[in-house]
Amino acid sequence: MNLEYFIAKRLIKGKEHKISISAPIIKIAITAISISVFMMLIAIATGVGLKYKIREKVTAFYGHIQIYNYDNNTSDVSVVPVSKEQDFYPNFTSVTGVEHVQAVATKGGIIRTEDTFEGFIAKGVGTDYNWGNFKEYLVAGHLPDYSTDLNTEVLLSRLMANRLKLTVGDTFSAYFPKEEDPLKPNQRRFTIVGIYDSGFEEIDGTYVFVDIRHIQRMNKWDENQVGNFEVFLNGFDGLEEKNREIYGQILSTLDSQTITDKYYKIFEWIGLFDFNIALIIGIMIIVGGFNMITALLVLILERTQMIGILKALGTVNWSIRKIFLYNAAYLIAIGLFWGNVLGLGFIWIQGKYRILKFPNPQEYYMEYIPVHIDVLTVVLLNLGVLVLCLLMLLVPSYIITRITPVKAIKFE
């Protein structure tokens, strides 16, 4: 039998433990651990959730990697066409982890109504366009259907619709400049069938989704010529490595660019979330650890006579220290339990009902606070808190070695 564990268990279950002078201190320490774990879980869930949601939104509109002609010079408007007759299209079989490849084209223009006008970029998409990632951003109407003959259906952002005072079912005129004759632009009449809202002003204030065949005709391209390709991967990890693999498989006249390079400011910003999460975790562990140190010192002070008796019976210092460390581990476990119940419960409620929202949604690109956490993260967090707190308690437990049996037995 483990003697230290046996004594610690008797101390924990003893009635005098619950009515002793240390009881309030112990409750405060348990509460501190619970609050610390609660705050750490919330910090991780909200920080990771926000990071994942922003990445998900950006990649839904652009894919993880874009392939385009070198002569485009990373322009937002398609300049030099790329042939669809590529080894990687429509299926990129030479690189693992590629889920989907779609061909798109873009062209700048101006929307003109009776009251106002607005500059925009028409994003031409075809039958290969994956609307699956886009459906959750649709706020009115339906998605356009480009699987049949050329049509005038378009998808407009809520931001642009409000500026132009348009809604689903309305029509508008769009003008696109001609390179050979800028004074006589191409004119198209479009009908709004759906309105989307991504939360990104850079996207919502710029892009209108149209049939790619309109852009091909205006640019005098054939049906096999497009502006660029958007590549979707099965995950965000290892994005740079996948980009290098893809670049090695495409023609020398083509270039590839990751979404993190295209929108580096956004991804630099969300990269700061990891630092904020680590800072909060560090502060909460220190707060919980110091409260446990206080509780441990009070427990040692309260059991000074017992320590003296054990030493008089020949018990070594490390065995006595283990008794109190077992006791402290039990208290930490109680704090971890309630912290997890409260934290995971709150995360579940927020994820299901989205009760907490941002006061300024435009600053965070979404209205509500997203949450995301996995089982492995919860397990590692709990183990980390337990181990670090116990390591912090090794130093104050050293005071036991300074207690002599004679003085301890006489201590009151």
Side-chain angles (χ1 to χ4, degrees), residues 155-366:
L155 193 64
L156 192 71
S157 71
R158 179 155 60 183
L159 176 64
M160 199 173 293
N162 291 337
R163 288 177 179 175
L164 296 168
K165 299 178 182 179
L166 297 173
T167 187
V168 174
D170 290 344
T171 60
F172 63 87
S173 295
Y175 300 88
F176 301 89
K178 292 180 181 178
E179 290 187 7
E180 65 277 9
D181 191 359
L183 297 178
K184 294 182 180 180
N186 289 300
Q187 181 180 356
R188 292 291 187 276
R189 191 76 178 171
F190 293 118
T191 302
I192 303 171
V193 297
I195 294 177
Y196 73 90
D197 185 7
S198 71
F200 280 88
E201 188 171 350
E202 296 90 338
I203 296 173
D204 294 352
T206 305
Y207 290 97
V208 176
F209 288 81
V210 306
D211 192 326
I212 193 172
R213 287 170 289 188
H214 285 293
I215 298 177
Q216 289 172 331
R217 289 189 178 187
M218 287 187 287
N219 289 346
K220 298 181 179 179
W221 297 348
D222 61 46
E223 61 180 11
N224 284 324
Q225 291 180 309
V226 296
N228 60 280
F229 297 95
E230 295 175 345
V231 181
F232 290 83
L233 306 178
N234 57 12
F236 211 90
D237 296 332
L239 184 60
E240 292 296 335
E241 182 180 347
K242 284 296 177 184
N243 184 44
R244 287 192 291 269
E245 285 187 51
I246 288 173
Y247 181 75
Q249 296 295 324
I250 60 180
L251 297 175
S252 59
T253 56
L254 302 179
D255 193 13
S256 63
Q257 181 186 40
T258 64
I259 194 64
T260 56
D261 292 331
K262 185 177 180 66
Y263 289 100
Y264 66 93
K265 290 184 179 180
I266 293 176
F267 286 94
E268 280 185 355
W269 172 60
I270 64 176
L272 296 175
F273 295 171
D274 295 333
F275 173 78
N276 295 336
I277 293 171
L279 182 63
I280 292 173
I281 290 175
I283 292 173
M284 290 298 103
I285 288 177
I286 291 173
V287 170
F290 274 103
N291 276 276
M292 283 307 305
I293 289 173
T294 303
L296 180 64
L297 292 175
V298 172
L299 287 172
I300 293 172
L301 181 66
E302 192 178 45
R303 297 291 177 177
T304 302
Q305 288 186 337
M306 185 196 77
I307 295 171
I309 294 172
L310 289 174
K311 283 195 172 186
L313 293 173
T315 308
V316 297
N317 287 322
W318 176 239
S319 292
I320 300 174
R321 291 172 71 184
K322 283 172 67 176
I323 293 172
F324 288 95
L325 290 175
Y326 276 128
N327 205 334
Y330 171 76
L331 300 178
I332 295 171
I334 294 176
L336 289 174
F337 172 77
W338 287 111
N340 280 279
V341 169
L342 296 173
L344 295 176
F346 177 84
I347 292 169
W348 181 83
I349 292 172
Q350 175 63 17
K352 187 173 181 63
Y353 299 104
R354 300 176 178 178
I355 55 176
L356 296 182
K357 301 183 183 298
F358 288 113
N360 299 312
Q362 65 275 9
E363 294 182 5
Y364 293 92
Y365 306 111
M366 60 193 68

Side-chain angles (χ1 to χ4, degrees), residues 128-139:
D128 62 347
Y129 194 77
N130 182 15
W131 294 106
N133 299 324
F134 203 94
K135 289 181 180 179
E136 68 172 291
Y137 308 119
L138 188 69
V139 294

Side-chain angles (χ1 to χ4, degrees), residues 108-162:
I110 296 175
I111 296 175
R112 180 69 184 269
T113 65
E114 294 181 359
D115 301 320
T116 185
F117 64 92
E118 189 81 21
F120 77 106
I121 293 178
K123 182 168 184 177
V125 300
T127 56
D128 62 347
Y129 194 77
N130 182 15
W131 294 106
N133 299 324
F134 203 94
K135 289 181 180 179
E136 68 172 291
Y137 308 119
L138 188 69
V139 294
H142 61 83
L143 296 171
D145 181 14
Y146 301 140
S147 60
T148 56
D149 295 334
L150 177 67
N151 60 59
T152 61
E153 295 182 350
V154 299
L155 193 64
L156 192 71
S157 71
R158 179 155 60 183
L159 176 64
M160 199 173 293
N162 291 337

